[in-house]
Amino acid sequence: MLANKEAVMLRSIGLPELMVILVVAVLLFGGKKIPELAKGLGEGIRNFKDSLKGPPDTPTPDDKKQA
């Protein structure tokens, strides 16, 4: 029964835990580096999602405008 109670405690991350994680991140990386890390993480997630969708639709020669 103790193992079940511990599993429930590990699943819930509340505001105090998030604040501790944020403080540790600021101490490790510095305040100016956090936005750059977040931007890089966002771009990585976007690229991963795009790669799962498959190659982009390439226009056929008929679709191209003739000059």
Side-chain angles (χ1 to χ4, degrees):
M1 180 162 168
L2 186 60
N4 188 22
K5 188 175 181 180
E6 290 175 356
V8 171
M9 289 178 62
L10 290 177
R11 282 190 233 156
S12 62
I13 295 180
L15 185 62
E17 290 86 2
L18 290 175
M19 294 299 290
V20 169
I21 293 170
L22 179 64
V23 167
V24 169
V26 169
L27 289 175
L28 285 176
F29 301 112
K32 293 183 179 182
K33 199 73 167 168
I34 296 290
E36 294 174 16
L37 291 172
K39 181 181 176 185
L41 181 63
E43 288 176 353
I45 292 172
R46 187 180 320 118
N47 289 338
F48 179 73
K49 286 182 179 181
D50 289 343
S51 68
L52 288 178
K53 290 179 184 176
D57 294 332
T58 55
T60 60
D62 296 333
D63 294 340
K64 294 182 181 178
K65 292 183 179 180
Q66 304 255 338

